[in-house]
Amino acid sequence: MDDLKEFLDEKVSLFNQPSFIENDPVSIPHRFVKQQDIEISGFFAAVLAWGQRKTIINKSMELMDMMGNSPHDFVLNHSEQELKQLMRFKHRTFNDLDTLYFIDFFSRYFKDNLSLEGAFTRGYSTDIDVMELLLSNFHDYFFQSDLAPRRTRKHVATPKKKSACKRINMFLRWMVRKDDKGVDFGIWNKISPSQLVCPCDLHVDRIGRSLGLIKRKQTDWQTAMELTKNLRVFDATDPVKYDFALFGLGVLQNEKNSALK
């Protein structure tokens, strides 16, 4: 375990660098300075994060362009005509109906709140495993409107459906983790980095299993918790920093395999 910790710590140092930003969806919120712009653009980028990273980044930039590259101002002050323009947006199964509901939620929310953090901390406690409750509460809160389309619910994961919630956990990593490397923002203060759950995407899942950090056969919420608990053995205060190591190793392995074909 000591050897594995040393190995993973080296990989965290290698990948948790400003150079990581350009080719990752986190580059979208890094285009902004205003906190609300970071939160809204980051949430969209995380939710749209499936498929090739280049496509995810391009589609997220397309959406931000449609919002005048000022998402906070857009959700508060858009005209009907500006809203209609968003109906052209589509990324895989995320369509115009989903986009319009997300804008509707943000419009209602930011009229009364300064930060999206409050939406993610409903029912907060210092319990180390509080994220299951917080993500479930957020999902219920996000879709409490009578106008919420049933189809849109699939785009915001919840532990109640046994999802690993990888995109939401990635977004929370961006907002909560604090260090001096410049990738994660660390602009939220209520949730502790120690409480975060590791995003369990395909790369992280594959490398986590190869290193013996995941034993569970399927990939679901319990798998994400299993991985996170094992990572807490290496660093109880900031276990999700190892997302950089596992993800980066997975990308390198893919590139190596592609080169051998």
Side-chain angles (χ1 to χ4, degrees):
M1 292 298 284
D2 288 342
D3 289 343
L4 182 54
K5 172 177 167 52
E6 182 178 353
F7 172 74
L8 291 177
D9 283 339
E10 287 179 1
K11 299 309 177 186
V12 171
S13 297
L14 176 63
F15 295 115
N16 184 17
Q17 296 289 340
S19 57
F20 179 87
I21 296 171
E22 181 180 0
N23 297 314
D24 189 82
V26 77
S27 64
I28 300 303
H30 271 288
R31 299 174 69 198
F32 301 98
V33 175
K34 184 179 175 183
Q35 176 167 333
Q36 292 87 352
D37 287 339
I38 291 170
E39 292 175 350
I40 296 169
S41 66
F43 189 82
F44 270 116
V47 168
L48 297 175
W50 77 97
Q52 293 185 342
R53 285 196 291 169
K54 183 177 180 180
T55 302
I56 294 163
I57 292 169
N58 287 340
K59 295 302 293 187
S60 297
M61 289 177 64
E62 176 187 333
L63 181 58
M64 292 303 105
D65 288 343
M66 288 181 172
M67 298 168 71
N69 287 303
S70 185
H72 183 234
D73 180 67
F74 184 91
V75 301
L76 291 179
N77 302 305
H78 57 265
S79 66
E80 285 299 317
Q81 184 59 36
E82 288 171 326
L83 209 56
K84 285 180 182 178
Q85 292 176 8
L86 291 184
M87 297 182 72
R88 304 195 313 267
F89 182 78
K90 187 177 187 299
H91 174 55
R92 301 186 73 150
T93 64
F94 192 93
N95 68 11
D96 55 346
L97 192 65
D98 306 317
T99 306
L100 293 178
Y101 182 73
F102 273 52
I103 297 297
D104 176 68
F105 170 81
F106 285 133
S107 178
R108 288 183 283 109
Y109 182 82
F110 280 104
K111 282 177 181 175
D112 298 317
N113 299 275
L114 291 176
S115 170
L116 194 56
E117 181 177 19
F120 277 96
T121 52
R122 298 165 66 86
Y124 176 80
S125 75
T126 57
D127 186 340
I128 193 66
D129 291 325
V130 73
M131 294 312 302
E132 181 172 353
L133 174 64
L134 296 188
L135 295 193
S136 298
N137 286 349
F138 173 77
H139 183 273
D140 293 344
Y141 178 57
F142 192 87
F143 292 109
Q144 70 178 2
S145 170
D146 292 337
L147 298 175
R150 182 169 295 276
R151 59 153 285 118
T152 305
R153 293 176 179 270
K154 66 185 177 184
H155 294 298
V156 180
T158 172
K160 287 183 179 179
K161 299 282 189 179
K162 301 187 186 224
S163 169
C165 301
K166 59 185 178 182
R167 299 180 189 94
I168 297 296
N169 284 325
M170 179 177 68
F171 171 71
L172 291 173
R173 195 204 83 203
W174 296 348
M175 297 298 108
V176 173
R177 276 199 73 252
K178 305 177 194 303
D179 60 26
D180 59 356
K181 304 303 181 182
V183 181
D184 294 328
F185 292 89
I187 54 178
W188 291 359
N189 296 308
K190 194 164 188 178
I191 300 171
S192 167
S194 65
Q195 295 173 305
L196 293 174
V197 174
C198 190
C200 205
D201 79 340
L202 291 174
H203 296 300
V204 171
D205 184 86
R206 185 176 70 253
I207 300 300
R209 292 180 187 281
S210 71
L211 295 176
L213 298 171
I214 298 173
K215 302 291 187 185
R216 190 172 173 81
K217 290 184 178 180
Q218 62 266 53
T219 300
D220 56 14
W221 179 256
Q222 292 304 318
T223 307
M225 288 301 301
E226 177 190 13
L227 174 60
T228 302
K229 287 176 181 177
N230 284 327
L231 295 177
R232 285 176 183 154
V233 174
F234 301 140
D235 189 337
T237 63
D238 188 16
V240 175
K241 72 181 183 184
Y242 293 108
D243 181 30
F244 287 103
L246 300 175
F247 179 80
L249 287 167
V251 170
L252 287 180
Q253 187 180 79
N254 266 13
E255 291 174 349
K256 180 179 178 180
N257 290 341
S258 296
L260 292 173
K261 287 182 180 179

